[in-house]
Each structure stands twice: as structure tokens, then as C-alpha cells.
Amino acid sequence: MRYARMTDRLAGLGSDKWVLHVAAQARAAAGHRILNLTIGEPDMPTPAALIDAACTAMREGRTHYSNGRGEESLLRALAARHSQRLGRPVGTDRFLCLPGTQTALYLIFQALCEPGDEVILGDPMYATYEGLVRASGAVPVPVTLRDTAGFRLQAEDVEAAITPSTRVIFINTPHNPTGAILGPAELDALGELARRHDLWIVSDEVYGDLTHDGRPFTSALANPAFEERTIVAASISKSHAAPGFRSGWACGPAAFCARALPLSETMLFGSQPFIADMTARALSAPPDLARAMAARMARRARIVRDALDGVAGMRVPLPEAGMFALIDIRALSRDSTAFALELLERQDVAVMPGASFGAALEGWLRVALNASDEDTATACARIRRFAEVMAA
């Protein structure tokens, strides 16, 4: 039987990247007590007030069809939130509501890219990004994020990768897996490149409320000079500990939203009104939950750094944001997958190999910071023992 070419383009780009997580689950099912630090789940359940808001909306009959753009209450909440963040009015016509950041990014690339177009993005990158780009028929063009530059995408590196086929510069700030935050000057340099070459900027900003130690976050939409070529995707999955509710959005030029709306309607024709009501409530409150979560993540990153930095040649740079810390194991191994699998086998600690996030992170590990302080410290002690044996 024949299949669409998209299935070939996406072969090996789905759950294959999560082999360590799957192996950890299998080992746990076999009776092992696994310290699983693979997935970026929030470290707390969805707040009861948000669940109550969704349940109340369902009981009040908010279970019917929605429209393709989003419920009016949620669009108003998004407009108010972005107007406050950017310091200028942002209208409701600049949003499309979708089930999570992943779906929003899928829609964006389907709307912007043709087969053969090129999308420049940083390497390392979140594990689904290559699939998002290739699903549209476009070609991902990785640009190395150098640890000497704090893993921040540099305009000169992007410019060297631009060709006549380039259509989009795809950024992620704060960045997964490195935790790097792009500053205003770096964003402006990328925006100027995009303007000079008539390119789009697409920015995944799902970790925008999870900066560590009070560090400021700047959206790619901050500079109004570039807002007509910039589209941002985000959700409440991380900031409000609600990943299972699948509630996200795209914010871009009104013209983009009008052009992409029929595609969104073809895909989904509306999200659930009761989830929209819950999301509107979440976005209308101060980000206290995200700030508290970020403080815990920053504390655990320091636990990892203090336990492992300098041990057996390993290095642990502190992240600026997000739910992960990186461990540089290149002094011990250049095969992060083999290292992580053996660590799981010998110490019952599951972490993600850097290779799952791109060639530039081979020889690194990504450690989720959502386990308790005690479990994080225990995992680090086991990693230390394993590394010292390897180095002996």
C-alpha cells in the first residue's frame, strides 16, 4: 500500500527520541525503584482552582462547539496578558487558540512553509522540532548553539546559514534543553536579519514564566519593529502545571491569523469551551505558581551543580530558566545514549541523552529538575558513583 510522503519525512522523529524514558518505564514496571529525570513535567499537580473552573464550566453547559479562533473570554485574556507584557496594545485578532504549544507550532509551519523551504533553528533543540519542520515539507537547517556563547543563538551564525530557500528563523527562548534566555540585543539582531532577508521569526516561549533567580524574559514580540514578521507560540502546560489540558495559542500578525484560521478550522474547528474558561482564569492571575516552580527548579539546578560539577571531568553549567540542567560528560563518553542506558542499568537513574536533542549536545545529559530535592540529591550521588567508576 502507498502512504503520504509525510510519513517518510517523519520516520524516526517521534517516540524514537524518548528511548531512555521508555526504558525507564519498562524497568520500573519490572519492580525497580527508578529515579526518573527524563520528562519535563511540572513538579506539582494542576491547581485545584483551575480544575474547579473547568468542572464548573462543564456543569454550566460549556461543552458545545467553539469557533475556530477561540472563545472570546480567552482571546480577551490573551490580549490583556500580552498587552501588559509588551507594554503596548495587542488585539484579540492576533491570536489563534490551539491544543498546546506543539499543535500551535504545527499550524504555524504548515501555514508558512512549502516543500523545499529551509528553516534555521538552533542545535541542540527540543526533540519534536525537526518533525514539526519536516511535516510541512521544509528542511531544518541546524545552527550550532555554542556553550561558549551560553547556548544562545547568535545572529552571525544564523546569517551564515541563510540561503535563497530560507523562510523561517525558529527560536526557543527560554530554551529547552539548555535553559538559555535570549536578551533584547540578541533578539533585535535576529529581527534585523529577518527583515533584511524577508524572513519569518517563529518563537516557542512556553517557558517564559519560568526564569530562574529573577532573570528577566524578553519575548520575540518585544520590539514593535519586527512584530509583523514574528509569531510566538506558548501554552499553560508548564507555567500553570496543566500539561494534560492541552491549551495553547499562537500570537502573530492579524494577517497571519486570518490566513491560518481556515487551516486551524480544518484541523480542529475549535477547542473545548470549558478548557478555554479555565485558561482565561489562569492567565488573568499573577504568575505566582510559575515563580514558585521556577524557584524550586533553580534550587535543584544548584543541587546538581554542587554535586557533580568538576567530578570525574564533568561540568554542570547553571540554566537561566526552565525545567532542566545539563551535564557535560565528554571527559567520560562521547556516546550519551550508551552512557545514559548504562547509568539506568547500573544505578536506576534515568536521564535524557544529549543526542536526543541534536548533534551539538552529544556528550551531554539532560536532567529534569522536577523530582524532589531529596530525590535529585540521591540521583546525583548515584551519577557521581557511576562517573567515578567510569573514570577509574
Side-chain angles (χ1 to χ4, degrees):
M1 300 297 293
R2 289 181 289 180
Y3 296 90
R5 291 180 181 175
M6 180 190 289
T7 61
D8 294 325
R9 296 197 298 267
L10 297 183
L13 296 179
S15 58
D16 292 3
K17 289 181 177 285
W18 302 100
V19 61
L20 257 297
H21 180 69
V22 173
Q25 289 180 313
R27 195 164 174 81
H32 293 262
R33 202 265 178 175
I34 303 298
L35 293 173
N36 194 339
L37 308 179
T38 57
I39 301 297
E41 288 270 8
D43 65 347
M44 61 174 292
T46 305
L50 296 186
I51 294 175
D52 290 345
C55 291
T56 297
M58 284 189 282
R59 292 190 187 100
E60 292 176 350
R62 297 282 287 149
T63 58
H64 298 286
Y65 287 122
S66 181
N67 65 74
R69 185 180 286 272
E71 291 291 298
E72 189 61 33
S73 61
L74 177 52
L75 293 171
R76 288 195 301 268
L78 285 166
R81 181 181 191 267
H82 283 70
S83 296
Q84 181 181 37
R85 172 170 278 180
L86 300 177
R88 62 182 187 275
V90 179
T92 57
D93 59 346
R94 294 185 56 189
F95 295 92
L96 295 172
C97 300
L98 296 137
T101 310
Q102 182 78 9
T103 309
L105 290 169
Y106 181 88
L107 172 78
I108 290 166
F109 284 108
Q110 292 293 326
L112 298 185
C113 295
E114 300 280 5
D117 287 342
E118 294 177 351
V119 174
I120 295 174
L121 71 172
D123 175 8
M125 67 192 78
Y126 180 56
T128 68
Y129 284 178
E130 185 178 356
L132 285 168
V133 173
R134 290 196 181 279
S136 71
V139 178
V141 178
V143 170
T144 299
L145 303 180
R146 292 173 274 117
D147 63 325
T148 54
F151 291 110
R152 289 184 287 274
L153 189 63
Q154 302 297 298
E156 60 267 27
D157 296 333
V158 173
E159 187 165 28
I162 292 174
T163 75
S165 297
T166 306
R167 178 67 63 91
V168 176
I169 301 171
F170 183 16
I171 64 178
N172 174 205
T173 180
H175 186 259
N176 178 5
T178 70
I181 304 172
L182 289 173
E186 291 160 324
L187 289 167
D188 284 351
L190 293 169
E192 188 55 44
L193 262 185
R195 179 163 58 184
R196 194 184 321 146
H197 294 275
D198 192 23
L199 306 176
W200 288 95
I201 289 180
V202 174
S203 183
D204 177 352
E205 299 183 357
V206 72
Y207 290 100
D209 288 326
L210 289 171
T211 64
H212 295 184
D213 302 320
R215 287 183 174 88
F217 164 69
T218 303
S219 171
L221 287 167
N223 190 333
F226 308 120
E227 67 181 0
E228 289 306 311
R229 60 179 66 253
T230 301
I231 307 166
V232 162
S235 74
I236 63 168
S237 294
K238 311 295 186 182
S239 58
H240 292 82
F245 280 87
R246 310 311 303 140
S247 184
W249 56 88
C251 178
F256 162 81
C257 291
R259 290 291 294 268
L261 179 58
L263 176 56
S264 176
E265 291 170 331
T266 300
M267 290 167 56
L268 300 163
F269 216 100
S271 301
Q272 300 91 329
F274 59 91
I275 291 180
D277 292 350
M278 183 201 79
T279 306
R281 173 167 178 164
L283 295 177
S284 299
D288 295 339
L289 183 150
R291 289 173 182 154
M293 197 183 316
R296 294 193 296 273
M297 302 290 179
R299 186 174 67 240
R300 291 168 195 152
R302 288 190 287 271
I303 290 173
V304 177
R305 190 271 314 272
D306 293 347
L308 298 176
D309 191 53
V311 173
M314 294 187 293
R315 190 166 61 90
V316 182
L318 282 178
E320 297 177 316
M323 296 181 168
F324 310 101
L326 295 179
I327 305 174
D328 181 356
I329 59 166
R330 288 175 292 181
L332 297 169
S333 174
R334 294 283 177 161
D335 188 336
S336 58
T337 302
F339 185 100
L341 284 169
E342 191 171 354
L343 174 66
L344 176 62
E345 176 72 24
R346 294 181 180 274
Q347 296 290 338
D348 283 337
V349 174
V351 299
M352 288 294 289
S356 291
F357 306 98
L361 212 62
E362 182 57 282
W364 294 71
L365 304 175
R366 191 195 76 171
V367 178
L369 300 171
N370 49 11
S372 68
D373 291 10
E374 181 182 4
D375 280 352
T376 300
T378 300
C380 288
R382 295 183 186 182
I383 293 170
R384 178 179 185 131
R385 285 198 299 269
F386 180 73
E388 289 175 336
V389 169
M390 285 198 69

